[in-house]
Amino acid sequence: MRLMFFLGMLLLSSLTQAKTDVLFLNPGSSDESFWGDVDSLLVAAAIRFDMEVETLHSNRNHFDMIRQANEVAQRPDLPPYVFLVNEKQSGLRMLDAFYHKPVYVQFVLNDISPAERQTLLQDPHWHQYLLPPVVPDNRTIGFETAGALVQGLGGKDIQVVLVSGDKSTPASVERTEGALAALQSMAEVSTEQTVYGQWQENKAYQQAQVLLQRYPGLDAIWTANDHMAFGVIRAMKEKRLAPGKKIRIATINTSAEVLALRREGAINVLGGGHFLAGGVALSNVKQHMDTGSYPTIHYSLFRLLEPDTEFFIALERRDWELLLDIALTRNDAPD
């Protein structure tokens, strides 16, 4: 009995002494499809690299995220690495919390602007402690999904509307710029309107009700994420319009629900894979911890997702180990 108690105390002591290697300020919630996937892959990577990762969620409230950054920066035991996301342009304010702190900061998924980064790197502190970002090529996936959306429609005067995320988050801005560039390069396509669904299903549902009424001849709808696509589909079904048939739909993300809709054809074009960024970032940080140098290897994140491919099946199975293997396959070409 005493031996069991002693072993239990040793285990409790080791747990309480476990020091956070990386703290991730997740702007979403743990039950949100995309941000939950980011969490899951990060857990798999932490186990593989034998690292302690702590995640705090701000549930899409960037003011809470800034508050969390300030609270973390005041801890007596600072994490040596912090992952930030420049959601709604809050990145610089979060960085301020860690100024003159011995904490390496890495932006994932949404970086600060190149001009902001260049200015910061002139400061000796940030020259040492601001690591290169791990961000997907949002412009390219916007371009590719929009281009694939109108492929095969044929004819002229193809009507398309876009449901973007928001007007400030870099991922939203860049995806929409890419989509618009693809559509505007095609003479047969008319881009009727861009609205902003704030990444939310209900908001996109309300907007789609108006858009379907306003453009009865609509051919295709591009959306910046899966939740907004779900809202569009709900509005279409209420009007007895078959999603993916009467009106083609493109979106981005890898939730179980959106994969099922892609497989059955209700969604015609799907892009995703950027949730891999957290795992890639942790792999890079592991090398930085071990060697003092940050790797220059490029890893591909985004891709068009086709049913029955290895990546698609791994996503359906939520096989995080295989997905991490795929993520860490070297690729020096642009994402």
Side-chain angles (χ1 to χ4, degrees):
M1 192 69 176
R2 286 182 180 178
L3 178 61
M4 292 288 289
F5 176 79
F6 179 71
L7 291 174
M9 290 300 292
L10 278 178
L11 177 60
L12 179 61
S13 175
S14 67
L15 289 174
T16 56
Q17 291 175 10
K19 182 176 174 61
T20 297
D21 295 310
V22 176
L23 187 138
F24 174 38
L25 292 178
N26 185 325
S29 62
S30 59
D31 58 358
E32 189 176 350
S33 61
F34 173 71
W35 291 110
D37 286 354
V38 173
D39 289 344
S40 296
L41 195 84
L42 199 55
V43 168
I47 293 171
R48 177 173 299 191
F49 301 126
D50 192 25
M51 298 172 71
E52 294 291 333
V53 176
E54 178 184 354
T55 299
L56 302 177
H57 298 89
S58 58
N59 302 308
R60 291 286 187 181
N61 185 328
H62 63 288
F63 295 112
D64 277 351
M65 191 163 57
I66 294 167
R67 175 186 55 77
Q68 289 171 341
N70 282 285
E71 289 175 353
V72 169
Q74 298 306 313
R75 291 182 179 182
D77 292 322
L78 289 168
Y81 294 87
V82 170
F83 290 173
L84 301 179
V85 183
N86 188 24
E87 186 89 347
K88 296 188 176 179
Q89 298 295 340
S90 57
L92 291 179
R93 293 181 64 183
M94 289 189 288
L95 273 179
D96 283 343
F98 298 101
Y99 190 53
H100 289 320
K101 305 279 187 181
V103 176
Y104 290 99
V105 177
Q106 178 163 58
F107 280 96
V108 297
L109 291 160
N110 286 302
D111 191 20
I112 53 178
S113 73
E116 290 167 340
R117 178 171 284 274
Q118 184 176 6
T119 298
L120 286 170
L121 290 176
Q122 295 173 11
D123 184 299
H125 173 81
W126 291 124
H127 183 77
Q128 178 179 356
Y129 284 103
L130 183 60
L131 297 176
V134 176
V135 293
D137 188 341
N138 282 288
R139 281 191 181 86
T140 295
I141 199 62
F143 188 95
E144 290 178 348
T145 49
L149 177 64
V150 297
Q151 270 185 358
L153 279 173
K156 293 184 178 181
D157 301 323
I158 298 170
Q159 289 188 326
V160 183
V161 296
L162 291 82
V163 183
S164 183
D166 61 61
K167 294 183 179 181
S168 60
T169 299
S172 175
V173 174
E174 293 164 9
R175 281 181 208 175
T176 306
E177 287 175 349
L180 285 170
L183 298 172
Q184 291 168 358
S185 70
M186 305 174 190
E188 69 274 19
V189 175
S190 298
T191 306
E192 301 296 346
Q193 190 174 351
T194 300
V195 298
Y196 296 86
Q198 302 301 320
W199 310 105
Q200 300 169 16
E201 178 177 341
N202 286 336
K203 180 75 170 176
Y205 162 70
Q206 294 165 1
Q207 291 170 327
Q209 287 180 308
V210 176
L211 293 170
L212 293 171
Q213 184 73 26
R214 183 175 296 164
Y215 306 110
L218 197 61
D219 296 292
I221 301 175
W222 179 92
T223 68
N225 85 337
D226 54 345
H227 286 283
M228 294 187 294
F230 302 155
V232 167
I233 288 173
R234 179 149 54 103
M236 289 179 62
K237 287 182 175 179
E238 286 184 0
K239 289 186 170 292
R240 300 184 183 278
L241 299 172
K245 295 182 174 63
K246 172 62 177 175
I247 299 176
R248 288 171 61 85
I249 300 172
T251 195
I252 298 166
N253 267 353
T254 51
S255 64
E257 185 175 356
V258 82
L259 293 170
L261 290 169
R262 175 68 185 92
R263 183 173 282 284
E264 72 185 44
I267 286 175
N268 308 90
V269 178
L270 181 62
H274 52 311
F275 71 92
L276 301 169
V280 168
L282 203 65
S283 173
N284 292 348
V285 160
K286 176 63 173 175
Q287 180 170 327
H288 187 264
M289 290 177 68
D290 292 346
T291 68
S293 64
Y294 192 88
T296 57
I297 295 173
H298 176 88
Y299 296 103
S300 182
L301 298 173
F302 269 131
R303 62 203 73 196
L304 291 179
L305 303 177
E306 298 292 341
D308 298 323
T309 59
E310 180 187 36
F311 192 74
F312 197 96
I313 293 170
L315 283 168
E316 289 179 312
R317 294 175 178 172
R318 315 319 265 175
D319 187 340
W320 304 114
E321 285 294 321
L322 177 56
L323 289 166
L324 185 60
D325 287 338
I326 295 171
L328 297 180
T329 300
R330 181 169 179 158
N331 180 359
D332 291 315
D335 185 30

